Amino acid sequence: MSSPRPDEALERRVEASVVRWGPVAAWMSVVFFFSSLPRLGPLGGVPDWISHPVEYGVGAALVCRALAGGLRRPLSAGAAVAATLLVTAYGVSDEYHQSFVPGREADPLDVAKDLLGATAGTVLYRRWATSPERGAP
């Protein structure tokens, strides 16, 4: 019987981190990509009072999942606040980024929409994660 390699525990922790935080990085990359475009084409027809809350609500739910340690795990109130603030801070940085893109501009009201979406995403995640009807993982 062979003994486990000393670095197996580290490999498992790294893999768990990638599984938890990879979707967050991927989603934020998608947001960054679309923010880099001077024109959004057909997506430009979606009002930003819809697109911003949806983008940042999804981002917040993914951050909640990562902070909770996985899907369907409860999230503390402190971690929920952290998730909301982290995603909103990303929204601030995204608006700053847009100020350098020709044809785009930074709009403080967009940050308010991002905060609204992040808050909604966090609240919905917490309700879903603690709901008795959520079923077994």
Side-chain angles (χ1 to χ4, degrees):
M1 184 169 170
S2 66
S3 60
R5 294 187 335 255
D7 58 348
E8 277 186 38
L10 176 62
E11 287 177 8
R12 282 194 303 272
R13 284 196 341 241
V14 168
E15 183 179 315
S17 293
V18 169
V19 167
R20 287 193 337 249
W21 288 99
V24 173
W27 185 254
M28 290 183 172
S29 296
V30 168
V31 171
F32 184 88
F33 171 77
F34 283 106
S35 293
S36 300
L37 300 175
R39 287 178 288 291
L40 294 175
L43 293 176
V46 177
D48 63 354
W49 58 269
I50 293 175
S51 62
H52 279 266
V54 169
E55 288 173 50
Y56 288 87
V58 169
L62 292 171
V63 170
C64 288
R65 174 190 166 275
L67 290 175
L71 196 58
R72 296 186 179 176
R73 291 192 172 175
L75 185 71
S76 70
V81 169
T84 301
L85 293 177
L86 179 66
V87 172
T88 302
Y90 185 78
V92 170
S93 72
D94 187 55
E95 288 302 313
Y96 180 69
H97 161 242
Q98 283 185 34
S99 72
F100 297 100
V101 177
R104 303 293 292 266
E105 61 185 34
D107 185 352
L109 289 177
D110 285 349
V111 175
K113 296 168 200 159
D114 300 344
L115 172 61
L116 178 67
T119 302
T122 299
V123 167
L124 290 173
Y125 178 89
R126 286 194 77 209
R127 282 191 176 174
W128 175 76
T130 57
S131 169
E133 296 88 31
R134 73 175 198 258

